[in-house]
Every structure is written in C-alpha cells, then in structure tokens.
Amino acid sequence: MSMTEEEQNHLLLSTCLLAGRIMMESGSESYRVEDTMQRIAQNTHRFDTEAYVTNTAIFMSLNQRSKTQMTQVRKLSTNLAKIDETNELSRAYEAGKLDLAGLKSELQRVDKEPKNFSFPIQVIAAGFASAAFMLLLDNNNYRDILLAFIIATIGFSVSELCKEKFEVIFLSDFFASTVIGVLALSFNRLGWVSHLDSMITGCIMPLLPGLAITGALRDLFARQLVSGMVEAVNAILIAIVLGIGIALTLQWLG
C-alpha cells in the first residue's frame, strides 16, 4: 500500500530529526548534523527543506507545505561509534541500499543500542591516558606514572558514578577533581609523588572537555555561532569546575 504525500512528508521529517538527534546527543558538531539531515532530504528528492540545529533542540521544515517539526536533545555525551554508524546509514540510503522506511528502522536500532565501551574498559583507558601524559612530563619516574594510573582510574570512576547518581551538571566533575586532589596531595606527603603539579595535571586529563572544545571551534568556524558559543561556554565551565575542585583541595589540605 503506497503512502500518501502527507505520510511521506511525516516519514521524511521524523527520519531526519531522528538522525540529527542521535548525532547531536553523541557529540557531533551542529554543522555536520545539518549536513546529514539535508543529505537525507535531498536524496528523497526534497530540496525545499531547512534544518536548524542547536544544543538543546533540532528543527526541520518543508518550506512549500509550511510543515515544521522539532525534537529535543535531552542528553549530551561522546559516542563516536553512533555518529559513524548514522553517517554510514545515510550514505547507504544515498546509494540506494535502503529505502526511507528502512533507514528510519535502522536509525531506531542505533538509537536504542548502547555503543559505549564497558565501564571497566573506560576506567582502564582513563588510567592509561594519564599515565601516558605523565610519561611525557617525567619519563624517568615510573612510580609517578604508576600512581597517575591509579589516581586517574579512581577519579574517572567517581566522575562516572556521580553522573549516574546526580542530575546536577558539573557536580560529578567537582567531586572527581576533589578526589584527585586529595589522593595526589596525600601521596605527595607520604613522599611517593615527586612532582605534585604534574601529577594533578596528568590525572585530570581524562576529565577535560577536549572534544567539546574542538567541536565548539569547528562550529564557530562553520558560522554556527549559537551552538558554537553554547558548547564553548559549557567546556569552559567544566574546566573551571575542575580547577575549583583542585584549588579548594590544595587550600584546605595544603
């Protein structure tokens, strides 16, 4: 049974918005989200569409019919696997390997499936990232490198567990940086840490919003000023909260 034009328009808008929301919630840049949504629309032979993406909501309209739909971006994370799979599906649709209904079905599957690595792997990766940074700063002190691995895994674990328990943004970063500061300062007083500043810097590396800063700059360069500024402010606030946690720890216990 063939769909009416009204049903086709609704399917197109809902599919584009779903693709955009998946990418935005996974940490993609706004201009890339708009490009993917417009590519899907153009491959459906609809060239009268307009898409507008922000960090909290995504809008898309069919100009000739004055139809506009929006979807809310409810959570922000970093999930490059979902971004890549969404792009691959849009290209499969462009190549004719999927129809529009099939594309939406596949996107719904991607949206529901968890693509993150398991929690233990994320914790170990955070430890290795800090250990590698300490290796660059002081490649002769293997005790500092080992302690950086241990402190970073604990701090990252605290951050992730707080994100699940508390809904207040930035609170997890504050608690994690405080724990890192306390552990680094305690090991330094025991004489186990040779360079306290380098240890603290290395251990907070996994918590820094590097991808957010990069995405903000790319959005700004692409003239996505609203999304770029919001992302930049969010990244700066995270960095400030991390700094406050470390500063308060050193002030109280130093």
Side-chain angles (χ1 to χ4, degrees):
M1 181 179 179
S2 60
M3 291 188 294
T4 64
E5 183 180 359
E6 181 77 16
E7 292 172 335
Q8 291 175 347
N9 291 339
H10 177 74
L11 178 61
L12 173 61
L13 287 174
S14 60
T15 302
C16 291
L17 290 172
L18 176 59
R21 180 175 61 79
I22 292 173
M23 295 182 66
M24 201 66 195
E25 289 183 348
S26 300
S28 180
E29 303 92 334
S30 298
Y31 78 91
R32 191 185 303 276
V33 175
E34 290 184 1
D35 178 71
T36 299
M37 294 170 64
Q38 293 286 29
R39 188 188 310 123
I40 294 174
Q42 291 171 5
N43 289 317
T44 317
H45 305 292
R46 292 303 301 261
F47 300 92
D48 58 342
T49 59
E50 292 290 343
Y52 182 69
V53 177
T54 69
N55 300 78
T56 55
I58 301 173
F59 303 85
M60 192 167 191
S61 66
L62 298 178
N63 294 338
Q64 292 181 352
R65 296 290 184 271
S66 298
K67 288 186 177 295
T68 302
Q69 289 188 16
M70 66 84 68
T71 185
Q72 188 174 0
V73 180
R74 300 184 181 278
K75 56 184 179 180
L76 295 176
S77 62
T78 301
N79 197 323
L80 300 182
K82 284 192 174 184
I83 296 175
D84 178 69
E85 190 162 357
T86 302
N87 277 321
E88 289 298 322
L89 288 173
S90 69
R91 286 174 171 79
Y93 176 64
E94 180 180 5
K97 298 177 182 179
L98 292 171
D99 59 11
L100 190 58
L103 174 62
K104 183 177 181 180
S105 177
E106 287 297 308
L107 289 172
Q108 289 172 335
R109 175 187 59 80
V110 172
D111 187 33
K112 293 178 182 178
E113 287 185 354
K115 293 292 181 180
N116 284 328
F117 292 101
S118 63
F119 181 72
I121 292 178
Q122 293 183 56
V123 171
I124 293 173
F128 275 115
S130 294
F133 191 80
M134 284 298 298
L135 184 63
L136 293 175
L137 294 177
D138 188 5
N139 56 5
N140 294 321
N141 196 327
Y142 294 101
R143 184 170 59 187
D144 277 9
I145 294 172
L146 177 60
L147 289 176
F149 179 90
I150 296 173
I151 296 173
T153 55
I154 296 174
F156 185 82
S157 300
V158 170
S159 175
E160 292 300 307
L161 293 174
C162 288
K163 286 179 182 177
E164 295 180 1
K165 187 174 182 61
F166 304 108
E167 295 184 358
V168 180
I169 60 174
F170 309 125
L171 198 59
S172 61
D173 299 304
F174 176 77
F175 285 150
S177 62
T178 301
V179 170
I180 289 173
V182 169
L183 290 175
L185 189 59
S186 299
F187 288 146
N188 182 66
R189 288 181 172 178
L190 291 173
W192 296 353
V193 173
S194 302
H195 303 92
L196 179 61
D197 294 343
S198 299
M199 177 65 67
I200 293 175
T201 303
C203 291
I204 65 172
M205 287 300 293
L207 304 177
L208 292 175
L211 183 62
I213 294 174
T214 303
L217 291 176
R218 296 187 68 174
D219 275 341
L220 290 173
F221 292 152
R223 297 184 60 81
Q224 297 285 345
L225 301 182
V226 174
S227 298
M229 289 300 295
V230 170
E231 194 70 20
V233 170
N234 181 68
I236 291 172
L237 288 176
I238 292 175
I240 290 174
V241 169
L242 292 174
I244 290 175
I246 295 297
L248 290 178
T249 301
L250 296 178
Q251 179 69 26
W252 291 339
L253 303 180

